[in-house]
Amino acid sequence: MLSGLNHLTLAVSHLPRSFSFYVDVLGFMPRAKWARGAYLSLGDLWLCLSLESVVERKTDYTHYAFTIASDDMPSLREKIQQAGAIEWKSNKSEGESIYFLDPDGHQLEIHCGDLESRLRSCKENPYDEMEFF
């Protein structure tokens, strides 16, 4: 039986650039780095950057979201903007969010809130045909 998320691996086209973005801009902790990859951590999350050919960015809603405290949002938003990250979506849901692209076009989100706050919001304003369990 599954017990949780083990790790995420992202293909990156330029390892030093992506390593710097995730460590210096987003605050991941470097754990190991080699010629074609790196292991980083953020809380319990294990992120692998793997030097590969990167397929052109999709335009669907698939993305990776990370948690931030509300007080830390303004300074990280500024850091992301100073890094030249492109915003790919405007926030329309509960909780403050920044939706932006990493250097290889991976769709990322920084979000204030959690599943419980989202469910509370949805109970007040449910999506079409939404049911709760």
Side-chain angles (χ1 to χ4, degrees), residues 61 63 65-66 68 73 77 80 87 89-100 108-113 118:
Y61 191 59
H63 66 281
F66 304 100
I68 191 170
M73 181 65 96
R77 179 185 300 275
I80 290 168
E87 190 172 328
K89 180 183 183 313
S90 295
N91 185 35
K92 294 181 175 95
S93 60
E94 163 277 331
E96 188 177 0
S97 287
I98 307 167
Y99 295 86
F100 59 98
L108 305 178
E109 174 187 4
I110 304 296
H111 179 72
C112 297
R118 178 61 52 87

